[in-house]
Amino acid sequence: MTSDSKRIDDLRAQIRKHDYSYYVLDDPSVPDAEYDRLMRELIALETQSPELITSDSPTQRVAGSPLESFKQVKHAVPMLSLSNVFSLEELEAFDKRVKDRLDNNERIDYNAEPKLDGLAVSIRYEHGLLVQAATRGDGNTGEDITENVRTIRSVPLKLKGKNIPRQLEVRGEVFISKKGFAQMNQDARKNEQKEFVNPRNAAAGSLRQLDARLTAKRPLEIFCYGVGLVEGGGLPNDHNAMLKQLKQWGLRVCPLVELVKGVQGCWKFYEKIQQLREQLDYEIDGIVYKVNLKQYQDELGFVSRAPRWATAHKFPAQEEITLVNGIEFQVGRTGAITPVAKLEPVFVGGVTVSNATLHNMDEVERKDVRIGDTVIVRRAGDVIPEVVKVVLERRSKGARKIKLPKKCPECANEIVRVEDEAVARCIAEFSCPAQCKGALKHYASRKAMDIEGLGDKLVDQLVEAKLVKDLSDLYRLDEDTLSNLERMGKKSAQNLLQAIEKSKQANFAKFLFGLGIREVGEATAIALAEYFEYDMKKLMAADEETLQQVSDVGPIVAKNIVQYFSHEANIRLIHSLCDEIGISWDVPESSGTDSAGILSGNTYVLTGTLASMTRDQAAQAIRAKGGKVVSSISKNTTALVAGEKAGSKLQKAEKLAVPVLSEQDLIALVNVE
Ligand code: D41
C-alpha cells in the first residue's frame, strides 16, 4: 500500500465516524471546520489518484449526471403493508387475534415505534456495501433510487461492526424534518418557486428526482425499522434486539422505539408519544406495534399482504377536507383584521372545527381561498386550525373571491392596509369596541397589571355598556355602577375595585407591557424599563436610534414605540394614568447601568415548564442578581434555562452551542451570595 492509499483509508474511516456521530447519533464529534479539512484532503488525494476512488468513499455520495428514468427493481422479499387500528377497542381486538392464533393466553411483548410519515424504502447491502436502494412501489416492485438514497447522509454507504450478513436488505422510512421543511419552503419563497404542502410531499418529491445532485441539496433523513432479505449471516430473534443490531452496524433507528408489555403498554406508549408529537422535529401519524418475538412473527405469518404480527395505531387525522361556507373578519387588540374562514364543521385533530384562520389578506391571496371552495384544514396539537390549501379540482363556478371590507365590522371605521404590509388594520383604536376590549384584557392580564377579577367576560360587559372607553376609565368605576351589572354582586364589585386600586402601585415594566405597544413583549418591556431607568418621560422622548440601543429592540419595534408615543391620544392616556390617577412604581436601587450582582453581563433565555417556580419568578430571580432575561436565543446568550417539555429553543441552544441549565442549576446559580 502506498502512503497515499493509506492516508485515503484513514481519512475515509475518520469521515465515516464523524458522519455517523453527526447524522445517525445527532451528536457531532468534531467542529464543522475540522470535518471540512478532512473532506478537502480526501478529495485532493482522490483527484490526484482517481484509480483509488471506491464507490463507498464519502466523496462519492453524489452521482455525475441525471438519469433518463428510474429502473424497476423487484424486491427479494416483498415489502408488506400495515393494517390499521383507530381505537383502544380495535387495538384490544388486534391483541386478541394475536393471542388466539398463537393459542397463547399470556401477555404479549410488543415493540412500539412512532410511525414516521415519510416514504418506505429498501436498501440492499452486499458485504456491508450499499449496492441498491428502491422505493416500496406496489410492494413487489419498486423504482431504483440508489443514486438518490446515496446522498442521504444518515444512510451509511458502508456498514460498520462485526458479523455483517453477506446480503442484507434494510427497510426504513425516508423523511424530511419539520425544520428542514421550513427551510426548504423559505428557500423556495426566496427563489419564487412553488412551496411544498407538507414534509411528506417534500420528501417524496426529493426522493424521486432523476438528478441526484438535486436530491443531495434536500435535507432527507432516514429511520430504519426492519429487514427484508438476510443471507450469509444472522440477526437476533426478537425485533427490539434486531433494531439494536442495525444500530450497531451504523444504521439510524428512531430513538423513541420501546419494548412494551401487552395492550396496556401499547396504550401508554401511544399516549406518551401523542403528547410528544408536536415537539418532535419530524411528522408522525401514529404508532406501529410489532409482536417482538421472531418465532411468533413466523407463526402468525401474513394475510392479504399485511403481517398479522404488526399493526399501525393511527392518530386522529390532523388534516381534513371541508367546505368554506363564509368569511368573517375579526378585529384584534391592535386593530389587526384577521380573515377567518367559517367552515362546514369537520372532525380534525381530535375536535370538531368550524373556524379556521387565514392569517391575513396576503395569505388569502396567495392561497386563493374563495367562499364555496373545498379546502384542506389542519389542526395540529393545540395550534389554531388553519386553511392549508384549496382543492382546486373541486372549485365550483359559484365560488366567490374574498375581499377585504372597507369598514371595520366592529365599529364601521376605516380599514387601512399599509403598502408592503400583510396586515390590514382598523384605524379607530380605542373607539373600536373590539380593540378596546382587547386592550383592556391585555392590560388586566396576569403578565401585565394582573388585575384579579377583571376577566374577559367582564371586560366585554363593561365595554358594551359603554362604562369603559379606555384604560383610564377603569379607575373611574364605582361600586354602584359595577353592582348593577349582570352577574355582579356587591362583594365582587368591592373586590374588583380593590384589585383595580391595588394596580396603581405598579411595576414599570408590567405597566409598559400592559399598554400593548405593538410587538413590545414582556422581555422587551423589562429591557426598556432598565435602559430608561424607570423614567416614562425618557422613554417617551427617545428616538428610533436610541431605542435600538436597547437589547431585544430592533428597527421594527423601535418604530412601533416611536409611533405609539407620537399619537396624541396615547400621550393623553399616559398623562391621565400617571398624573391624574396616580399609577406609580418603585425605581429599583440598582437601576440603570449599575453592574452589581453576580449575573451582571449575563443573558439568559427561559423555556419549558419549571417545577418549583413560574418562569416569571425565575426571571425575577435572575434579574435580582443583575442578569438579563431575553426571549430569543442567539450566540450571545449566556445560557438557556430549560424546564420540562422544552421545545425548539432547546434544539436551537444545542445548535448554537449555548449551555443549557436545568432548574436545579438555576436555583444553585441565583442562590449564591
Ligand atoms: O415508521 C414507519 N412508517 C413504519 C412503517 C414502521 N415504523 N414500521 C413499519 N413496519 C412495517 C412492517 C411491519 C411490514 C415491516 C412500517 C411499514 N411496515 C410500512 N411502511 C410502509 C408500508 C409498510
Side-chain angles (χ1 to χ4, degrees):
M1 223 189 233
T2 66
S3 66
D4 268 3
S5 72
K6 254 223 206 76
R7 180 64 184 155
I8 284 176
D9 276 353
D10 174 43
L11 286 167
R12 286 176 185 165
Q14 283 190 59
I15 293 170
R16 267 183 209 120
K17 213 173 100 227
H18 297 321
D19 276 344
Y20 175 72
S21 302
Y22 192 95
Y23 295 104
V24 180
L25 303 180
D26 288 325
D27 181 18
S29 46
V30 288
D32 290 354
E34 167 68 6
Y35 180 91
D36 292 344
R37 271 192 294 276
L38 297 172
M39 197 59 143
R40 275 199 302 273
E41 188 186 344
L42 178 59
I43 292 171
L45 287 173
E46 287 184 347
T47 316
Q48 248 171 44
S49 324
E51 72 283 0
L52 296 178
I53 298 177
T54 57
S55 72
D56 66 326
S57 170
T59 59
Q60 301 300 301
R61 283 197 179 264
V62 188
S65 52
L67 304 171
E68 291 286 320
S69 64
F70 294 114
K71 278 195 314 229
Q72 300 273 302
V73 181
K74 196 164 159 45
H75 301 299
V77 173
M79 290 180 80
L80 301 176
S81 56
L82 281 167
S83 63
N84 287 319
V85 297
F86 290 92
S87 65
L88 182 56
E89 291 73 46
E90 288 178 16
L91 171 60
E92 280 168 342
F94 164 78
D95 178 63
K96 183 166 185 306
R97 284 196 302 277
V98 166
K99 283 188 197 149
D100 287 351
R101 230 175 213 276
L102 292 174
D103 203 9
N104 177 344
N105 225 345
E106 279 162 42
R107 200 173 54 187
I108 303 287
D109 284 348
Y110 291 100
N111 195 72
E113 312 171 359
K115 183 171 181 297
L116 272 292
D117 198 9
L119 291 110
V121 298
S122 183
I123 306 174
R124 192 152 58 84
Y125 288 90
E126 263 175 33
H127 302 288
L129 293 185
L130 189 159
V131 292
Q132 191 171 64
T135 60
R136 177 169 178 277
D138 64 5
N140 289 317
T141 312
E143 285 178 322
D144 186 334
I145 49 164
T146 310
E147 296 308 325
N148 294 348
V149 169
R150 287 175 61 90
T151 69
I152 305 174
R153 311 298 276 266
S154 46
V155 173
L157 298 178
K158 180 186 173 140
L159 300 179
K160 68 186 190 79
K162 290 198 270 292
N163 302 325
I164 296 165
R166 198 172 63 246
Q167 289 268 4
L168 175 68
E169 253 179 22
V170 179
R171 267 87 199 258
E173 198 84 356
V174 169
F175 62 96
I176 285 178
S177 70
K178 294 177 188 169
K179 212 186 295 149
F181 170 71
Q183 184 64 52
M184 271 176 81
N185 271 352
Q186 200 180 321
D187 293 347
R189 274 196 298 276
K190 221 185 290 159
N191 301 325
E192 300 192 352
Q193 286 165 339
K194 202 167 169 302
E195 288 178 47
F196 292 96
V197 180
N198 58 41
R200 195 194 130 83
N201 283 16
S206 304
L207 209 48
R208 292 197 77 265
Q209 289 287 342
L210 287 165
D211 188 346
R213 286 170 298 191
L214 294 177
T215 310
K217 293 186 185 141
R218 305 286 176 79
L220 290 165
E221 301 180 38
I222 195 166
F223 279 138
C224 301
Y225 59 70
V227 294
L229 180 75
V230 185
E231 267 179 16
L235 275 164
N237 57 15
D238 76 69
H239 192 81
N240 195 267
M242 185 267 285
L243 293 182
K244 288 201 172 111
Q245 175 64 77
L246 294 185
K247 250 196 282 194
Q248 275 164 10
W249 287 332
L251 293 155
R252 189 165 180 238
V253 174
C254 177
L256 298 171
V257 166
E258 213 176 285
L259 196 58
V260 300
K261 293 185 186 303
V263 169
Q264 249 196 340
C266 289
W267 184 253
K268 257 184 32 206
F269 185 81
Y270 176 86
E271 296 218 295
K272 181 176 94 175
I273 300 297
Q274 197 173 24
Q275 284 283 315
L276 267 178
R277 185 179 186 189
E278 287 315 304
Q279 279 154 261
L280 294 178
D281 191 36
Y282 42 85
E283 295 214 329
I284 58 174
D285 57 356
I287 305 293
V288 187
Y289 309 120
K290 299 175 183 177
V291 171
N292 194 44
L293 273 190
K294 179 86 169 65
Q295 181 205 326
Y296 286 173
Q297 292 182 1
D298 292 343
E299 226 172 294
L300 288 160
F302 51 90
V303 55
S304 63
R305 328 233 78 239
R308 286 200 191 87
W309 47 267
T311 198
H313 189 172
K314 291 294 206 57
F315 294 135
Q318 289 187 319
E319 288 189 359
E320 268 302 345
I321 246 177
T322 193
L323 274 175
V324 177
N325 288 331
I327 191 93
E328 189 180 280
F329 289 89
Q330 291 179 353
V331 189
R333 165 167 74 79
T334 60
I337 307 282
T338 306
V340 175
K342 310 300 283 180
L343 305 171
E344 189 60 33
V346 61
F347 190 74
V348 55
V351 297
T352 301
V353 165
S354 41
N355 293 314
T357 182
L358 285 159
H359 301 291
N360 54 56
M361 288 311 287
D362 270 5
E363 282 272 304
V364 171
E365 280 150 32
R366 199 167 56 76
K367 291 178 178 161
D368 189 22
V369 180
R370 304 185 190 183
I371 297 164
D373 267 345
T374 300
V375 293
I376 296 174
V377 269
R378 178 177 175 82
R379 180 187 179 269
D382 294 326
V383 183
I384 308 169
E386 61 169 354
V387 172
V388 178
K389 66 178 259 184
V390 173
V391 185
L392 274 179
E393 306 86 78
R394 297 212 199 161
R395 172 167 285 168
S396 68
K397 284 217 182 69
R400 277 188 294 132
K401 283 203 178 175
I402 294 169
K403 279 210 269 318
L404 180 70
K406 295 216 164 24
K407 302 231 176 298
C408 172
E410 299 278 344
C411 70
N413 268 296
E414 197 187 341
I415 288 176
V416 288
R417 187 171 171 194
V418 178
E419 215 173 315
D420 291 335
E421 266 191 38
V423 184
R425 288 177 204 276
C426 161
I427 57 160
E429 307 194 342
F430 266 102
S431 62
C432 171
Q435 288 182 65
C436 186
K437 287 174 187 172
L440 284 162
K441 288 171 191 175
H442 177 73
Y443 183 78
S445 68
R446 209 167 41 81
K447 290 178 174 173
M449 300 296 273
D450 195 13
I451 304 179
E452 224 184 293
L454 188 54
D456 288 3
K457 287 221 173 76
L458 184 56
V459 168
D460 290 348
Q461 269 179 298
L462 291 171
V463 173
E464 278 156 28
K466 300 208 166 48
L467 294 171
V468 175
K469 293 198 188 63
D470 72 17
L471 298 178
S472 66
D473 286 341
L474 275 181
Y475 297 91
R476 302 189 182 103
L477 291 167
D478 58 48
E479 198 182 310
D480 281 350
T481 322
L482 279 176
S483 35
N484 276 336
L485 287 171
E486 232 177 282
R487 279 178 313 230
M488 176 69 90
K490 203 172 148 94
K491 187 76 200 146
S492 27
Q494 282 171 352
N495 287 344
L496 177 62
L497 286 173
Q498 226 167 38
I500 292 174
E501 187 60 28
K502 201 174 111 198
S503 74
K504 288 186 188 171
Q505 191 47 47
N507 163 309
F508 182 55
K510 288 186 169 225
F511 175 65
L512 198 54
F513 172 64
L515 291 177
I517 304 170
R518 245 182 258 165
E519 284 176 72
V520 173
E522 282 176 277
T524 309
I526 290 164
L528 288 167
E530 284 171 1
Y531 189 90
F532 292 101
E533 299 173 324
Y534 304 83
D535 186 337
M536 189 57 117
K537 292 207 175 62
K538 280 191 192 158
L539 171 62
M540 288 167 83
D543 59 13
E544 290 182 31
E545 206 177 316
T546 311
L547 285 162
Q548 284 188 55
Q549 304 296 313
V550 182
S551 67
D552 240 30
V553 175
I556 294 173
V557 177
K559 198 167 146 209
N560 288 342
I561 296 170
V562 168
Q563 221 159 48
Y564 180 88
F565 291 119
S566 71
H567 277 35
E568 194 56 40
N570 292 331
I571 295 174
R572 266 202 311 271
L573 173 70
I574 289 166
H575 173 68
S576 129
L577 288 171
C578 299
D579 303 336
E580 288 163 18
I581 290 158
I583 290 179
S584 64
W585 48 84
D586 289 337
V587 176
E589 268 172 38
S590 63
S591 80
T593 52
D594 197 316
S595 59
I598 50 150
L599 301 185
S600 87
N602 292 356
T603 306
Y604 298 87
V605 175
L606 302 170
T607 189
T609 316
L610 303 173
S612 65
M613 57 186 132
T614 65
R615 285 220 292 265
D616 249 1
Q617 290 168 330
Q620 266 168 27
I622 291 173
R623 284 189 209 105
K625 295 281 173 186
K628 266 198 190 135
V629 179
V630 297
S631 51
S632 57
I633 296 192
S634 73
K635 60 182 195 318
N636 299 324
T637 309
T638 310
L640 173 73
V641 179
E644 283 287 307
K645 291 198 177 168
S648 59
K649 283 191 178 150
L650 189 53
Q651 283 165 359
K652 186 150 182 207
E654 278 159 8
K655 202 160 215 166
L656 294 174
V658 168
V660 178
L661 302 181
S662 69
E663 184 171 350
Q664 268 60 48
D665 297 336
L666 173 69
I667 292 170
L669 193 64
V670 295
N671 281 337
V672 177
E673 286 309 318

